[in-house]
Amino acid sequence: MTQTISLVEVGPRDGLQNEKQTIDVATKVELIERLAAAGMKSVEGGAFVSPKWVPQMAASDEVMNTIKRAPGVSYPVLTPNRQGYEGARAAKADTVAVFGAASETFSQKNINCSIEESIERFKPVIKAAKADGVRVRGYVSCVLGCPYEGAIAPAQVLPVARTLYEMGCYEISLGDTIGVGTPRQTKALVRALAQEIPVAALAGHFHDTYGQALSNIWAGIDEGLRVFDCSVSGLGGCPYAKGASGNVASEDVVYSLERSGFETGVDLDALIDISVWISERLGRKPGSRVTLAQRTH
Ligand code: HMG
Ligand code: MG
């Protein structure tokens, strides 16, 4: 029996948030719409965060108000606090994501509060979302390492992930923010978390800084993970994680999974077209090995 893997395309948010050049709303809208048309069932559309902290996401309200939504596709946006949630709600977001961290220092650098304070800020977001029928995803950053604190143990990840799950997040995305983790570490992490959180409620979010992301996805699959975040053309990086590269390239994930008998529902050729197009727009070569192999001769 063919097994299904769900992909969450995070390129328009995680991919573009770190870009220094101005990317117009029309380009972002086209990117999101094309990714949905290529078969992505979840396309992260933006972030309702402080424009002083992440200027590139400042127009997320305009982006969300402009996109034509495809049936059966969700368009999550990041909401760090109640103010972000109100913005997301006004822009008709169907899904929001709160984002915490397993590392105290990263939490301070990224969202200007401790892990404990962040949980307090998420409470009203989740409460309001529940009342509005909006789904809430939870991120935990630095699950396999922190740019400031170094190694992070599964025991540091578990309390944050479990708390977010118990608070009502339907899924906890495990972020290897700086891409330092390896397959064995990934397995150990998923195994530890799965003792207290259903594995079906966990997702993998691997950045590819050290070239480990696809291997980590396969390690996660071995442990039962069936949801992965990815970014077209491997766009991205986190502004508060120096040296972090983009997420694993969506094209590379689709190629690897589909050729191994998993169904993603994503059209690889369409994805490669999008990768070539957005790379041209950004003035760089595609960050996907599959796209480079197929299109740049
Ligand atoms: P703060 O300064 O502590 O917030 O920032 P505050 O409540 O004290 O408010 C200060 C100012 O920010 C006020 O404006 C507020 O109105 C404004 P002022 O009066 O000075 O003009 N403000 C907001 N503006 C817009 N939207 C909001 C909002 N909240 C307050 N929601 C805050 C706290 C979280 C807002 C800030 O630290 C921030 O925006 N951080 C950005 C975090 C971010 O976007 N990081 C990148 C995404 S996370 C990521 O990439 C990791 C992930 O991919 C997983 C992985 O790879 O690990 C998800
Ligand atoms: Mg990320």
Side-chain angles (χ1 to χ4, degrees):
M1 197 184 74
T2 313
Q3 289 202 65
T4 302
I5 299 273
S6 301
L7 299 180
V8 177
E9 170 61 52
V10 296
R13 193 278 307 169
D14 207 352
L16 297 184
Q17 70 183 7
N18 210 25
E19 281 294 331
K20 296 287 172 280
Q21 57 185 301
T22 309
I23 304 161
D24 57 24
V25 168
T27 300
K28 290 179 181 172
V29 167
E30 182 173 348
L31 179 62
I32 294 167
E33 290 179 351
R34 285 180 69 167
L35 287 164
M40 288 289 180
K41 288 280 170 263
S42 183
V43 183
E44 217 169 56
F48 288 79
V49 298
S50 163
K52 287 184 192 142
W53 285 62
V54 187
Q56 192 61 254
M57 291 291 109
S60 290
D61 54 346
E62 222 182 313
V63 171
M64 291 301 289
N65 276 317
T66 310
I67 51 168
K68 283 189 200 72
R69 289 165 163 80
V73 178
S74 74
Y75 301 88
V77 292
L78 264 51
T79 51
N81 52 20
R82 186 67 201 237
Q83 188 175 337
Y85 179 76
E86 296 306 336
R89 192 66 190 130
K92 302 186 283 289
D94 57 82
T95 307
V96 297
V98 293
F99 50 107
S103 143
E104 275 301 341
T105 316
F106 187 81
S107 180
Q108 290 289 354
K109 302 270 185 194
N110 193 41
I111 51 175
N112 205 25
C113 63
S114 69
I115 296 172
E116 209 179 314
E117 284 162 348
S118 74
I119 299 293
E120 289 308 310
R121 289 182 184 184
F122 301 156
K123 279 182 185 163
V125 173
I126 295 174
K127 191 171 171 216
K130 264 188 202 159
D132 294 338
V134 169
R135 301 195 320 150
V136 186
R137 197 171 195 239
Y139 276 108
V140 184
S141 283
C142 300
V143 298
L144 295 171
C146 167
Y148 310 102
E149 294 182 12
I152 297 286
Q156 291 170 269
V157 182
L158 181 60
V160 187
R162 189 183 44 215
T163 302
L164 292 179
Y165 181 68
E166 285 171 353
M167 282 164 72
C169 293
Y170 69 92
E171 188 168 276
I172 310 301
S173 179
L174 304 168
D176 184 10
T177 316
I178 50 169
V180 288
T182 60
R184 284 211 173 153
Q185 288 175 303
T186 301
K187 277 176 182 259
L189 173 68
V190 176
R191 219 171 278 169
L193 296 185
Q195 298 199 350
E196 300 200 29
I197 305 166
V199 75
L202 297 174
H205 177 106
F206 298 107
H207 285 259
D208 202 30
T209 320
Y210 285 79
Q212 304 296 302
L214 199 51
S215 311
N216 289 340
I217 286 180
W218 280 105
I221 288 173
D222 283 350
E223 294 301 322
L225 289 191
R226 290 294 180 270
V227 184
F228 297 97
D229 303 351
C230 52
S231 167
V232 68
S233 202
L235 294 174
C238 176
Y240 299 103
K242 201 163 171 276
S245 76
N247 294 77
V248 63
S250 307
E251 306 93 288
D252 298 3
V253 177
V254 170
Y255 177 92
S256 184
L257 293 178
E258 295 274 345
R259 291 213 166 198
S260 306
F262 284 96
E263 230 165 54
T264 63
V266 179
D267 178 340
L268 181 59
D269 283 336
L271 206 51
I272 290 173
D273 286 343
I274 300 167
S275 176
V276 170
W277 164 77
I278 192 67
S279 302
E280 275 172 15
R281 279 289 170 107
L282 298 174
R284 69 175 66 122
K285 76 177 194 186
S288 149
R289 301 291 286 266
V290 168
T291 297
L292 288 174
Q294 295 211 359
R295 291 296 170 86
T296 49
H297 297 296

